[in-house]
């Protein structure tokens, strides 16, 4: 009876995961629950055309595959980005991290708000097409033309620093938990939430210069998060796409690291991830300098300075 139940649940899961971003022949490889600081954050699943309990084979196979998480609680955007940045750093070789940083920065910048309970965030890889990031059936940003980003993100689930042995066994299909599959299927975004996320796509498409931030200090502080948001608005408003770069068709992502003093003065600004074109790097740094000074820290921000990492993407409009 238990085997029948397991097979039934797996069939239901595969059927419920059909839709945008999924290949018709993908099957559920495995499913597991992720906890952080003692709290369940999401349920993760991997689907592939060639299910396997071998992590290397799962990544290497040149087939359609998907890595997905269903959120079981609300997560602030800054904390979400910081979580995945930490996981990718712990589970991937430095060469791959260096190679994919601009694309990953651009991908994270497409997430325009906090994540909500029931949200479905997934990365899909399609041979001959590349990797896409999809939230609640809305593709965010571009399709990246290879599987490097897919490998980088999936390694957070099956890499050398996987959450636990139990998690790894489940996500690789070595053990099954029917109750977890039921909970995974039940976590669904509302139609209103889908519409909210769909609006992000137009926001991404409308901006030729986009910014976002993950504060390096006190990311769990609402006061610091609010400060970072206002700081970003000033930097964004000051960012200008250089006219010569537009004429030359130059695009790229720049990552700035800014240290701000308690009084709001800019202690330092550094380009920590360069675009391939000097004009874009200069424009990003000029924006930070022009936007300063920033607001004085609130009383709740009880430190003398704070460091913020700000990705800025320069992308030409296409009609």
């Amino acid at each position: 009876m238990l085997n029948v139940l397991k097979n039934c649940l797996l069939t239901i899961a595969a059927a419920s995961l059909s839709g945008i971003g999924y290949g018709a022949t993908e099957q559920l490889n495995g499913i597991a629950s992720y906890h952080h600081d003692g709290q369940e954050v999401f349920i993760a699943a991997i689907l592939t055309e060639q299910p396997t309990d071998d992590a290397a084979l799962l990544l290497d196979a040149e087939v359609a595959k998907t890595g997905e998480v269903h959120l079981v609680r609300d997560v602030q955007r800054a904390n979400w980005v910081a979580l995945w940045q930490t996981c990718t750093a712990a589970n991937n070789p430095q060469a791959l991290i260096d190679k994919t940083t601009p694309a990953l920065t651009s991908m994270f910048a497409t997430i325009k708000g906090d994540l909500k309970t029931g949200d479905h965030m997934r990365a899909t890889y399609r041979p001959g097409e590349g990797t896409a990031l999809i939230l609640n059936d809305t593709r965010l940003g571009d399709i990246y033309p290879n599987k490097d980003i897919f490998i980088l993100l999936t390694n957070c689930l099956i890499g050398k620093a996987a959450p636990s042995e139990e998690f790894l066994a489940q996500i690789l299909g070595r053990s099954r938990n029917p109750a977890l599959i039921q909970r995974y299927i039940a976590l669904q975004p509302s139609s209103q939430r889908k519409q909210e996320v769909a609006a992000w796509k137009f926001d991404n498409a409308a901006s030729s210069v986009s910014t976002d931030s993950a504060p390096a200090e006190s990311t769990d502080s609402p006061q610091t998060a609010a400060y970072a948001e206002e700081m970003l608005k000033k930097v964004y408003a000051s960012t200008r796409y250089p006219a010569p770069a537009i004429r030359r068709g130059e695009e790229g992502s720049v990552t700035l690291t800014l240290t701000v003093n308690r009084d709001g003065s800019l202690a330092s600004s550094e380009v920590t991830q360069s675009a391939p074109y000097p004009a874009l790097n200069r424009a990003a740094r000029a924006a930070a300098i022009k936007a300063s000074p920033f607001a004085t820290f609130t009383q709740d921000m009880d430190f003398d300075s704070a460091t913020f990492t700000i990705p800025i993407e320069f992308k030409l409009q296409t009609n």
Side-chain angles (χ1 to χ4, degrees):
M1 179 64 182
L2 181 58
N3 287 334
V4 172
L5 176 61
K6 288 181 179 179
N7 291 335
C8 179
L9 287 170
L10 291 176
T11 301
I12 293 172
S16 72
L17 297 176
S18 62
I20 185 168
Y22 287 98
T25 58
E26 285 184 270
Q27 302 174 53
L28 183 64
N29 192 89
I31 188 168
S33 174
Y34 177 83
H35 291 71
H36 182 68
D37 290 338
Q39 294 184 318
E40 187 181 36
V41 181
F42 58 75
I43 301 174
I46 295 178
L47 298 96
T48 175
E49 290 181 314
Q50 295 181 5
T52 177
D53 64 357
D54 186 301
L57 289 178
L58 181 63
L59 293 176
D60 291 343
E62 195 60 22
V63 298
K65 44 197 168 185
T66 297
E68 181 176 74
V69 298
H70 289 193
L71 274 291
V72 301
R73 66 175 58 252
D74 295 352
V75 182
Q76 291 184 349
R77 184 211 171 276
N79 291 341
W80 181 255
V81 173
L83 172 64
W84 285 92
Q85 287 175 331
T86 300
C87 288
T88 55
N91 285 282
N92 292 278
Q94 189 61 47
L96 181 60
I97 294 171
D98 293 341
K99 180 181 179 182
T100 56
T101 291
L104 192 64
T105 297
S106 177
M107 180 174 279
F108 282 142
T110 65
I111 303 172
K112 297 297 182 180
D114 295 339
L115 279 296
K116 303 296 184 181
T117 302
D119 278 350
H120 296 181
M121 177 74 77
R122 64 183 182 264
T124 66
Y125 173 70
R126 300 290 174 263
E129 297 179 18
T131 302
L133 184 69
I134 298 168
L135 178 61
N136 296 345
D137 295 342
T138 294
R139 196 190 82 213
L140 302 177
D142 300 325
I143 294 178
Y144 299 87
N146 54 50
K147 64 180 176 182
D148 289 341
I149 291 289
F150 182 86
I151 291 173
L152 191 85
L153 295 173
T154 306
N155 265 336
C156 289
L157 306 177
I158 62 175
K160 59 185 178 182
S164 68
E165 288 297 325
E166 180 183 9
F167 182 98
L168 188 61
Q170 291 181 345
I171 204 75
L172 290 176
R174 297 169 186 163
S175 64
R176 300 287 189 185
N177 184 337
L180 190 60
I181 297 175
Q182 286 181 314
R183 289 181 54 222
Y184 176 82
I185 296 171
L187 286 164
Q188 297 290 332
S190 66
S191 57
Q192 180 180 354
R193 176 58 178 166
K194 288 184 177 182
Q195 292 174 2
E196 290 175 2
V197 172
W200 295 359
K201 183 175 182 179
F202 297 104
D203 187 21
N204 288 324
S207 299
S208 57
V209 180
S210 62
T211 67
D212 219 327
S213 166
E217 297 184 32
S218 303
T219 57
D220 59 345
S221 164
Q223 293 78 19
T224 305
Y227 184 93
E229 190 69 26
E230 292 305 311
M231 177 182 164
L232 277 172
K233 290 177 182 178
K234 288 196 70 177
V235 174
Y236 181 87
S238 301
T239 304
R240 298 292 180 269
Y241 209 136
I246 294 175
R247 288 195 298 270
R248 293 190 294 263
E250 296 175 351
E251 297 180 327
S253 297
V254 182
T255 301
L256 293 174
T257 297
L258 307 181
T259 299
V260 180
N261 295 321
R262 168 166 282 282
D263 64 0
S265 60
L266 185 61
S268 66
S269 64
E270 180 183 3
V271 175
T272 48
Q273 179 66 47
S274 301
Y277 303 103
L280 303 184
N281 299 321
R282 290 194 297 268
R285 196 150 183 262
I289 294 172
K290 182 180 179 181
S292 63
F294 302 101
T296 302
F297 290 0
T298 65
Q299 291 183 345
D300 299 294
M301 298 168 64
D302 58 346
F303 33 78
D304 294 329
S305 65
T307 300
F308 301 86
T309 300
I310 304 178
I312 301 178
E313 182 185 14
F314 294 87
K315 185 174 180 61
L316 296 171
Q317 298 280 8
T318 56
N319 297 320

